Amino acid sequence: MTRMRSLFGFLFLALVVGLALRHLPPAWDPRTPLDLAAPPNLLTGWKLTRMAWQPEQCRTAFAASRIALFPVPDRASEDGCALRDAVRLPAALRLSPGGPIVSCPMAAAWALFERHTLQQAARAHLGSEVAAVRQLGTYACRNVNHAAAGRRSQHATANAIDIAGFTLRDGREITVLRHWNGQGSEAAFLRDVRNGACRWFRTVLSPDYNAAHRDHFHLDRGPWIACR
């Protein structure tokens, strides 16, 4: 009798869950692709993380969000610098130099960062939106910190981007090197950008980390978690 009750309970629970999933709105349905244009919710981070082991989820997310994606050819490598499922970074902003190559999950994280962190911080602290971003590089076959030996950087697989500064729509230039240690709205903006980036990228390094990052933010979707 106890076993029958347990089986009945399990079937009842499965029925309830099945009915609930049928009526979930897409934004709250774990089975649906991430909508990069929608307001974030509790599932956003999980859906973004899922792209690392289900690459098709990334391409589907861009298609569902009606954001054009421009794939680049895969590149085999025997030295830890292979490119797989990489794309030209799609951005509403002007990137200088333009057309950087990143992994698809990095592109998805950037779309969320741009909409929900960068522009919000610019409006709040500077009264203007960001028009352009100066980036120092994404794909580079090298080790961490350009060391002669050691583990490969996330840049080696286009899973990272370094950001040096921003140009606002009103023409102002904000750079990490000049404004990070200031006391004004520019410094507050940069700190909000650093802190907010930690929501979308697994590793975020700023001048607070070490002298090597005194002039830029490092953002990546690698295996390590850091927000410094």
Side-chain angles (χ1 to χ4, degrees):
M1 180 64 70
T2 301
R3 292 180 63 185
M4 288 293 294
R5 287 176 178 174
S6 298
L7 178 60
F8 177 78
F10 173 79
L11 292 174
F12 178 76
L13 179 61
L15 177 63
V16 170
V17 171
L19 290 172
L21 287 174
R22 285 183 61 185
H23 297 285
L24 276 176
W28 290 95
D29 189 337
R31 300 165 301 176
T32 61
L34 176 60
D35 186 346
L36 299 168
N41 62 29
L42 293 176
L43 288 179
T44 302
W46 179 80
K47 289 184 177 183
L48 185 60
T49 299
R50 181 173 60 175
M51 295 176 185
W53 69 85
Q54 294 181 336
E56 70 280 0
Q57 289 291 330
C58 187
R59 297 186 292 272
T60 303
F62 276 95
S65 307
R66 295 181 175 83
I67 301 175
L69 203 57
F70 302 97
V72 300
D74 287 352
R75 169 179 165 174
S77 173
E78 296 180 355
D79 52 9
C81 297
L83 280 180
R84 295 186 183 89
D85 298 309
V87 300
R88 294 283 178 184
L89 180 61
L93 308 173
R94 187 173 72 254
L95 292 167
S96 176
I101 295 173
V102 296
S103 67
C104 191
M106 269 296 295
W110 180 270
L112 294 165
F113 163 74
E114 185 180 296
R115 178 184 292 261
H116 301 294
T117 292
L118 182 58
Q119 295 294 20
Q120 289 185 12
R123 289 191 293 267
H125 292 287
L126 303 171
S128 180
E129 291 193 339
V130 174
V133 175
R134 184 162 69 89
Q135 56 94 14
L136 301 180
T138 55
Y139 179 61
C141 187
R142 63 174 177 82
N143 295 330
V144 173
N145 294 328
H146 298 272
R151 63 183 174 88
R152 284 300 196 194
S153 166
Q154 289 300 309
H155 287 283
T157 52
N159 206 31
I161 186 170
D162 290 339
I163 301 298
F166 309 92
T167 302
L168 304 183
R169 296 196 187 281
D170 61 16
R172 281 178 288 171
E173 299 278 350
I174 313 296
T175 70
V176 176
L177 182 62
R178 288 170 49 210
H179 297 107
W180 179 260
N181 291 316
Q183 300 298 319
S185 57
E186 295 88 353
F189 160 72
L190 289 174
R191 291 180 185 279
D192 261 13
V193 169
R194 190 274 309 272
N195 295 340
C198 297
R199 184 178 183 184
W200 315 116
F201 302 97
R202 292 179 61 83
T203 295
V204 176
L205 303 178
S206 72
D208 282 351
Y209 179 56
N210 61 15
H213 294 83
R214 67 189 181 279
D215 62 349
H216 70 278
F217 296 148
H218 167 92
L219 317 174
D220 77 49
R221 287 289 307 173
W224 315 109
I225 298 177
C227 182
R228 300 178 64 181

